[in-house]
Coordinates of all heavy atoms in Angstrom, one line a residue:
M1 N 89.9 81.0 111.0 CA 89.4 80.9 109.7 C 90.2 79.9 109.0 O 91.4 79.9 109.1 CB 89.5 82.3 109.0 CG 89.1 82.2 107.6 SD 88.8 83.8 106.8 CE 90.4 84.6 107.1
S2 N 89.6 79.0 108.2 CA 90.3 78.0 107.5 C 90.0 78.1 106.0 O 88.9 78.4 105.6 CB 89.8 76.6 108.0 OG 90.2 75.6 107.2
S3 N 91.1 77.9 105.2 CA 90.9 77.9 103.8 C 91.7 76.7 103.2 O 92.7 76.3 103.8 CB 91.3 79.2 103.2 OG 92.7 79.2 102.8
G4 N 91.2 76.2 102.1 CA 91.9 75.1 101.4 C 93.4 75.4 101.1 O 94.3 74.6 101.3
S5 N 93.6 76.6 100.6 CA 95.0 77.0 100.2 C 95.8 77.6 101.4 O 97.0 77.6 101.4 CB 95.0 77.9 99.1 OG 94.5 79.2 99.5
G6 N 95.1 78.1 102.4 CA 95.7 78.7 103.5 C 96.1 80.1 103.3 O 96.6 80.8 104.1
K7 N 95.8 80.6 102.0 CA 96.3 82.0 101.7 C 95.1 83.0 102.0 O 94.0 82.8 101.6 CB 96.6 82.0 100.2 CG 97.2 83.3 99.7 CD 97.7 83.2 98.3 CE 98.4 84.5 97.9 NZ 98.8 84.4 96.5
L8 N 95.5 84.1 102.6 CA 94.6 85.1 103.0 C 94.9 86.3 102.1 O 96.0 86.7 101.8 CB 94.7 85.5 104.4 CG 94.4 84.5 105.4 CD1 94.7 84.9 106.9 CD2 92.9 84.1 105.3
I9 N 93.8 87.0 101.6 CA 93.9 88.1 100.7 C 93.2 89.3 101.3 O 92.1 89.2 101.8 CB 93.2 87.8 99.3 CG1 93.7 86.5 98.7 CG2 93.3 88.9 98.3 CD1 95.2 86.5 98.3
K10 N 93.9 90.5 101.2 CA 93.3 91.7 101.7 C 92.2 92.2 100.7 O 92.4 92.3 99.5 CB 94.3 92.8 101.8 CG 93.8 94.1 102.3 CD 94.9 95.1 102.5 CE 94.8 96.2 101.4 NZ 95.8 97.3 101.6
V11 N 91.0 92.4 101.3 CA 89.8 92.8 100.5 C 89.4 94.2 100.9 O 88.6 94.8 100.2 CB 88.6 91.9 100.6 CG1 89.0 90.5 99.9 CG2 88.1 91.7 102.0
A12 N 89.9 94.7 102.0 CA 89.5 96.1 102.4 C 90.5 96.6 103.4 O 91.3 95.9 103.9 CB 88.1 96.0 103.1
F13 N 90.4 97.9 103.6 CA 91.3 98.7 104.5 C 90.4 99.6 105.4 O 89.4 100.1 104.9 CB 92.2 99.6 103.6 CG 92.9 100.6 104.4 CD1 94.1 100.3 104.9 CD2 92.4 101.9 104.5 CE1 94.9 101.3 105.6 CE2 93.1 102.9 105.2 CZ 94.4 102.5 105.8
A14 N 90.7 99.7 106.6 CA 90.0 100.5 107.5 C 91.0 101.4 108.3 O 92.1 101.0 108.5 CB 89.2 99.7 108.6
T15 N 90.5 102.6 108.7 CA 91.4 103.6 109.3 C 91.6 103.3 110.8 O 92.5 103.8 111.4 CB 91.0 105.0 109.1 OG1 89.6 105.1 109.6 CG2 91.0 105.4 107.6
N16 N 90.7 102.5 111.4 CA 90.8 102.1 112.8 C 90.1 100.8 113.1 O 89.4 100.3 112.2 CB 90.3 103.3 113.7 CG 88.9 103.6 113.4 OD1 88.0 102.8 113.4 ND2 88.6 104.9 113.1
Q17 N 90.2 100.4 114.3 CA 89.6 99.1 114.7 C 88.0 99.1 114.6 O 87.5 98.1 114.1 CB 89.9 98.8 116.2 CG 89.4 97.5 116.7 CD 90.1 96.3 116.2 OE1 91.3 96.3 115.8 NE2 89.4 95.1 116.2
A18 N 87.4 100.2 115.0 CA 85.9 100.2 114.9 C 85.4 100.1 113.5 O 84.5 99.4 113.2 CB 85.4 101.5 115.5
E19 N 86.1 100.8 112.6 CA 85.7 100.8 111.1 C 85.9 99.4 110.6 O 85.1 98.8 109.9 CB 86.5 101.8 110.4 CG 86.1 102.0 108.9 CD 87.0 103.0 108.2 OE1 87.0 104.2 108.8 OE2 87.5 102.7 107.2
A20 N 87.0 98.8 111.0 CA 87.4 97.4 110.5 C 86.3 96.4 111.0 O 85.9 95.5 110.3 CB 88.8 97.0 111.0
E21 N 85.9 96.6 112.2 CA 84.9 95.7 112.8 C 83.5 95.8 112.1 O 82.8 94.9 111.9 CB 84.7 95.9 114.3 CG 85.9 95.3 115.0 CD 85.9 95.6 116.5 OE1 85.0 96.3 117.0 OE2 86.9 95.1 117.2
M22 N 83.2 97.0 111.7 CA 82.0 97.2 110.9 C 82.0 96.5 109.6 O 81.1 95.8 109.1 CB 81.7 98.7 110.7 CG 81.2 99.4 111.9 SD 80.9 101.2 111.9 CE 80.7 101.6 110.2
I23 N 83.2 96.6 108.9 CA 83.3 95.9 107.6 C 83.3 94.4 107.8 O 82.7 93.7 107.1 CB 84.7 96.4 106.9 CG1 84.6 97.8 106.5 CG2 85.0 95.5 105.7 CD1 85.9 98.4 106.1
Q24 N 84.0 94.0 108.9 CA 84.0 92.6 109.2 C 82.6 92.1 109.5 O 82.2 91.0 109.1 CB 84.9 92.3 110.4 CG 85.2 90.8 110.7 CD 86.2 90.6 111.8 OE1 86.1 91.3 112.8 NE2 87.1 89.7 111.6
G25 N 81.7 92.9 110.1 CA 80.4 92.5 110.4 C 79.5 92.4 109.1 O 78.7 91.5 109.1
L26 N 79.8 93.2 108.2 CA 79.1 93.1 106.9 C 79.4 91.7 106.2 O 78.5 91.0 105.7 CB 79.5 94.2 105.9 CG 78.9 95.5 106.1 CD1 79.6 96.6 105.2 CD2 77.4 95.5 105.8
L27 N 80.7 91.3 106.3 CA 81.1 90.1 105.7 C 80.5 88.9 106.5 O 79.9 87.9 105.9 CB 82.6 89.9 105.7 CG 83.3 90.9 104.8 CD1 84.8 90.9 105.0 CD2 83.0 90.6 103.3
T28 N 80.5 89.0 107.8 CA 79.9 87.9 108.7 C 78.4 87.7 108.4 O 77.9 86.6 108.3 CB 80.1 88.3 110.1 OG1 81.5 88.4 110.4 CG2 79.6 87.2 111.0
E29 N 77.7 88.8 108.2 CA 76.3 88.8 107.9 C 76.0 87.9 106.6 O 74.9 87.4 106.4 CB 75.7 90.1 107.7 CG 75.5 90.9 109.0 CD 74.9 92.3 108.8 OE1 74.4 92.6 107.7 OE2 75.0 93.1 109.7
H30 N 77.0 87.9 105.7 CA 76.8 87.2 104.5 C 77.6 85.8 104.5 O 77.8 85.2 103.5 CB 77.4 88.0 103.3 CG 76.4 89.1 103.0 ND1 76.5 90.4 103.6 CD2 75.4 89.2 102.1 CE1 75.6 91.1 103.1 NE2 74.9 90.5 102.2
G31 N 78.0 85.4 105.7 CA 78.6 84.1 105.8 C 80.0 84.0 105.4 O 80.5 82.9 105.1
I32 N 80.7 85.2 105.3 CA 82.1 85.2 104.9 C 83.0 85.5 106.1 O 83.0 86.6 106.6 CB 82.3 86.3 103.8 CG1 81.4 86.0 102.6 CG2 83.8 86.3 103.4 CD1 81.4 87.1 101.6
P33 N 83.7 84.5 106.5 CA 84.6 84.7 107.7 C 85.8 85.6 107.2 O 86.2 85.5 106.1 CB 85.1 83.3 108.1 CG 84.8 82.4 106.9 CD 83.8 83.1 106.1
S34 N 86.3 86.4 108.2 CA 87.4 87.3 107.8 C 88.3 87.5 109.1 O 87.9 87.0 110.2 CB 86.9 88.7 107.4 OG 86.1 89.3 108.4
M35 N 89.4 88.1 108.8 CA 90.4 88.3 109.9 C 90.9 89.8 109.8 O 91.0 90.3 108.7 CB 91.6 87.4 109.6 CG 92.6 87.5 110.7 SD 93.9 86.3 110.3 CE 95.3 87.4 110.2
L36 N 91.1 90.4 110.9 CA 91.6 91.8 110.9 C 93.1 91.7 111.3 O 93.5 90.9 112.1 CB 90.9 92.6 112.0 CG 89.4 92.7 111.9 CD1 88.9 93.6 113.0 CD2 89.0 93.3 110.5
K37 N 93.9 92.5 110.6 CA 95.3 92.6 110.8 C 95.7 94.1 110.8 O 95.3 94.8 110.0 CB 96.0 91.8 109.8 CG 97.5 91.8 109.9 CD 98.2 91.0 108.8 CE 99.7 91.1 108.9 NZ 100.3 90.5 107.7
R38 N 96.6 94.4 111.8 CA 97.1 95.8 111.8 C 98.0 96.0 110.6 O 98.7 95.1 110.2 CB 97.9 96.1 113.0 CG 97.1 96.1 114.3 CD 98.0 96.3 115.5 NE 97.4 96.1 116.7 CZ 97.0 97.0 117.6 NH1 97.3 98.2 117.3 NH2 96.4 96.7 118.7
E39 N 98.0 97.2 110.0 CA 98.9 97.5 108.9 C 100.3 97.5 109.4 O 100.6 97.8 110.6 CB 98.6 98.9 108.4 CG 97.3 99.1 107.5 CD 97.6 98.6 106.1 OE1 98.6 98.8 105.5 OE2 96.6 98.0 105.6
P40 N 101.2 97.1 108.5 CA 102.6 97.1 108.9 C 103.1 98.5 109.5 O 102.7 99.5 108.9 CB 103.4 96.7 107.6 CG 102.4 96.0 106.8 CD 101.0 96.6 107.2
G41 N 103.8 98.4 110.5 CA 104.2 99.7 111.1 C 103.3 100.2 112.2 O 103.7 101.0 113.0
F42 N 102.1 99.6 112.3 CA 101.1 100.0 113.3 C 100.8 98.8 114.2 O 99.8 98.8 114.9 CB 99.8 100.5 112.7 CG 100.0 101.8 112.1 CD1 100.4 101.9 110.7 CD2 99.8 103.0 112.8 CE1 100.5 103.1 110.1 CE2 99.9 104.2 112.2 CZ 100.3 104.3 110.9
D43 N 101.7 97.7 114.2 CA 101.4 96.5 115.0 C 102.0 96.6 116.4 O 102.5 95.6 116.9 CB 102.0 95.3 114.2 CG 103.4 95.4 113.8 OD1 104.0 96.5 114.0 OD2 104.0 94.4 113.3
V44 N 101.9 97.8 117.0 CA 102.4 98.0 118.3 C 101.1 98.0 119.3 O 100.2 98.8 119.0 CB 103.1 99.3 118.4 CG1 103.6 99.6 119.9 CG2 104.3 99.4 117.5
P45 N 101.1 97.2 120.3 CA 100.0 97.2 121.2 C 99.6 98.5 121.8 O 98.4 98.8 122.1 CB 100.4 96.2 122.3 CG 101.4 95.3 121.7 CD 102.1 96.2 120.7
D46 N 100.6 99.4 121.9 CA 100.3 100.8 122.5 C 99.3 101.5 121.7 O 98.6 102.5 122.2 CB 101.5 101.6 122.6 CG 102.5 101.0 123.7 OD1 102.0 100.2 124.5 OD2 103.7 101.3 123.6
F47 N 99.1 101.2 120.4 CA 98.1 101.9 119.6 C 96.7 101.5 119.9 O 95.7 102.2 119.5 CB 98.4 101.6 118.1 CG 99.5 102.4 117.5 CD1 100.6 101.7 116.9 CD2 99.5 103.7 117.5 CE1 101.6 102.4 116.4 CE2 100.6 104.4 116.9 CZ 101.7 103.7 116.4
L48 N 96.5 100.4 120.6 CA 95.1 100.0 121.0 C 94.2 99.9 119.8 O 94.5 99.2 118.8 CB 94.6 100.8 122.1 CG 95.4 100.8 123.4 CD1 94.8 101.8 124.4 CD2 95.5 99.5 124.0
A49 N 93.1 100.6 119.8 CA 92.2 100.6 118.7 C 92.5 101.5 117.6 O 91.9 101.5 116.5 CB 90.8 100.9 119.2
A50 N 93.5 102.4 117.8 CA 93.9 103.3 116.7 C 94.8 102.6 115.7 O 95.3 101.6 115.9 CB 94.7 104.5 117.4
G51 N 94.9 103.3 114.6 CA 95.8 102.8 113.5 C 95.0 101.9 112.5 O 94.0 101.3 112.8
P52 N 95.5 101.9 111.3 CA 94.8 101.2 110.2 C 94.8 99.7 110.3 O 95.7 99.1 110.9 CB 95.6 101.7 108.9 CG 96.9 102.1 109.5 CD 96.7 102.6 110.9
R53 N 93.8 99.1 109.7 CA 93.7 97.7 109.7 C 93.4 97.2 108.3 O 92.9 97.8 107.5 CB 92.5 97.2 110.5 CG 92.5 97.7 112.0 CD 93.5 97.0 112.8 NE 93.3 97.1 114.2 CZ 93.7 98.1 115.0 NH1 94.3 99.1 114.4 NH2 93.6 98.1 116.3
Q54 N 93.9 95.9 108.0 CA 93.5 95.2 106.8 C 92.4 94.2 107.1 O 92.5 93.6 108.2 CB 94.8 94.5 106.3 CG 95.9 95.3 105.9 CD 97.1 94.5 105.5 OE1 97.1 93.3 105.4 NE2 98.2 95.2 105.2
I55 N 91.5 94.0 106.2 CA 90.5 93.0 106.4 C 90.8 91.9 105.3 O 90.9 92.2 104.1 CB 89.1 93.5 106.1 CG1 88.7 94.6 107.2 CG2 88.1 92.4 106.2 CD1 89.1 95.9 106.9
L56 N 91.1 90.7 105.9 CA 91.5 89.6 105.0 C 90.5 88.5 105.0 O 89.8 88.2 106.0 CB 92.8 89.0 105.6 CG 94.0 90.0 105.9 CD1 95.0 89.4 106.8 CD2 94.6 90.5 104.6
V57 N 90.4 87.8 103.8 CA 89.5 86.7 103.7 C 90.3 85.6 102.9 O 91.3 85.8 102.3 CB 88.2 87.0 102.9 CG1 87.4 88.0 103.6 CG2 88.5 87.4 101.5
A58 N 89.8 84.4 103.0 CA 90.4 83.2 102.3 C 90.4 83.5 100.8 O 89.4 84.1 100.3 CB 89.7 81.9 102.7
E59 N 91.4 83.0 100.1 CA 91.5 83.3 98.7 C 90.3 83.0 97.9 O 89.8 83.7 97.0 CB 92.7 82.5 98.2 CG 93.1 82.8 96.7 CD 94.4 82.1 96.3 OE1 94.7 81.1 96.8 OE2 95.0 82.7 95.5
E60 N 89.6 81.8 98.2 CA 88.4 81.4 97.5 C 87.2 82.3 97.8 O 86.2 82.2 97.1 CB 88.1 79.9 97.7 CG 87.8 79.6 99.1 CD 89.0 79.2 100.0 OE1 90.1 79.4 99.6 OE2 88.8 78.6 101.1
L61 N 87.3 83.1 98.8 CA 86.1 84.0 99.2 C 86.3 85.5 98.7 O 85.5 86.3 99.1 CB 85.9 83.9 100.7 CG 85.5 82.5 101.2 CD1 85.4 82.5 102.7 CD2 84.2 82.1 100.6
V62 N 87.4 85.7 98.0 CA 87.7 87.1 97.6 C 86.6 87.7 96.8 O 86.1 88.8 97.1 CB 89.0 87.2 96.9 CG1 89.2 88.6 96.3 CG2 90.2 86.9 97.8
E63 N 86.1 87.0 95.8 CA 85.1 87.6 94.9 C 83.8 87.8 95.6 O 83.2 88.9 95.5 CB 84.9 86.7 93.6 CG 86.0 86.9 92.6 CD 86.4 88.3 92.3 OE1 85.4 89.1 92.0 OE2 87.6 88.7 92.3
P64 N 83.3 86.8 96.4 CA 82.0 87.1 97.1 C 82.2 88.2 98.1 O 81.3 89.0 98.3 CB 81.7 85.8 97.8 CG 82.5 84.7 97.2 CD 83.7 85.4 96.5
A65 N 83.3 88.3 98.8 CA 83.6 89.4 99.7 C 83.6 90.8 99.0 O 83.0 91.7 99.5 CB 84.9 89.2 100.4
R66 N 84.2 90.8 97.9 CA 84.2 92.1 97.1 C 82.8 92.5 96.7 O 82.4 93.7 96.6 CB 85.2 92.0 96.0 CG 86.6 92.1 96.5 CD 87.6 92.1 95.4 NE 89.0 92.3 96.0 CZ 90.1 91.8 95.4 NH1 90.0 91.2 94.3 NH2 91.2 91.9 96.0
E67 N 82.0 91.5 96.3 CA 80.6 91.8 95.9 C 79.8 92.4 97.1 O 79.1 93.3 96.9 CB 79.9 90.5 95.4 CG 80.4 90.1 94.0 CD 79.8 88.8 93.6 OE1 78.8 88.3 94.2 OE2 80.4 88.2 92.6
V68 N 80.0 91.8 98.3 CA 79.3 92.2 99.5 C 79.7 93.7 99.8 O 78.9 94.5 100.2 CB 79.6 91.3 100.7 CG1 79.2 91.9 102.0 CG2 78.9 90.0 100.5
L69 N 81.0 93.9 99.7 CA 81.6 95.2 100.1 C 81.6 96.3 99.0 O 82.1 97.4 99.2 CB 83.0 95.0 100.6 CG 83.2 94.1 101.8 CD1 84.6 93.9 102.1 CD2 82.4 94.7 103.0
E70 N 81.1 95.9 97.8 CA 81.0 96.9 96.7 C 80.4 98.2 97.1 O 79.4 98.3 97.7 CB 80.3 96.3 95.5 CG 80.4 97.1 94.3 CD 79.7 96.5 93.1 OE1 79.5 95.2 93.1 OE2 79.3 97.2 92.1
G71 N 81.1 99.3 96.9 CA 80.7 100.6 97.2 C 81.1 101.1 98.6 O 80.8 102.2 99.0
T72 N 81.7 100.2 99.4 CA 82.2 100.5 100.7 C 83.5 101.2 100.6 O 84.4 100.6 100.0 CB 82.3 99.2 101.6 OG1 81.0 98.5 101.6 CG2 82.7 99.5 103.0
P73 N 83.7 102.3 101.3 CA 85.0 102.9 101.3 C 86.1 102.0 101.8 O 85.9 101.3 102.8 CB 84.9 104.2 102.2 CG 83.4 104.4 102.2 CD 82.8 103.1 102.0
G74 N 87.3 102.0 101.2 CA 88.4 101.2 101.7 C 88.5 99.9 101.0 O 89.4 99.1 101.3
V75 N 87.6 99.5 100.2 CA 87.6 98.2 99.6 C 88.6 98.1 98.4 O 88.6 99.0 97.6 CB 86.2 97.7 99.1 CG1 86.3 96.4 98.4 CG2 85.3 97.7 100.2
S76 N 89.5 97.1 98.4 CA 90.5 97.0 97.3 C 90.0 96.1 96.2 O 89.1 95.4 96.3 CB 91.8 96.5 97.9 OG 91.6 95.2 98.5

C-alpha cells in the first residue's frame, strides 16, 4: 500500500485474523487498500491466526474507510 505521506492510521480492531480479513474485505470492495498488523504483544508467530489485529489505512483514506465501516464492531 502506498500513500503520499507514508503514514498509516488504525481504523479498526479485530479479535483475530479471520475477523480482520473480513473487515479488510469490506474496505477492498470499496477500493480502499488496507494492511493488517498484530497488536503489540501478540506479534509472535506461534499465535498463528489467534490474537488481535489492527486494520490500517493510508492517512488520506481514513474518512472514506470509516464511512465504509460505520456500524461495524471494532471500528475506531
Side-chain angles (χ1 to χ4, degrees):
M1 175 168 55
S2 166
S3 91
S5 67
K7 188 172 182 181
L8 296 174
I9 307 294
K10 180 175 110 174
V11 294
F13 168 87
T15 58
N16 58 52
Q17 181 75 25
E19 187 179 307
E21 288 175 356
M22 287 179 18
I23 294 170
Q24 191 175 40
L26 284 171
L27 293 171
T28 299
E29 286 177 17
H30 288 86
I32 300 171
S34 61
M35 182 179 123
L36 303 181
K37 180 180 174 186
R38 291 177 193 252
E39 284 281 324
F42 289 89
D43 55 351
V44 179
D46 294 342
F47 283 120
L48 301 173
R53 303 291 197 275
Q54 297 177 2
I55 296 86
L56 309 164
V57 300
E59 185 173 31
E60 63 271 12
L61 297 174
V62 169
E63 287 309 312
R66 287 187 176 148
E67 287 175 16
V68 167
L69 299 174
E70 187 174 339
T72 303
V75 176
S76 57

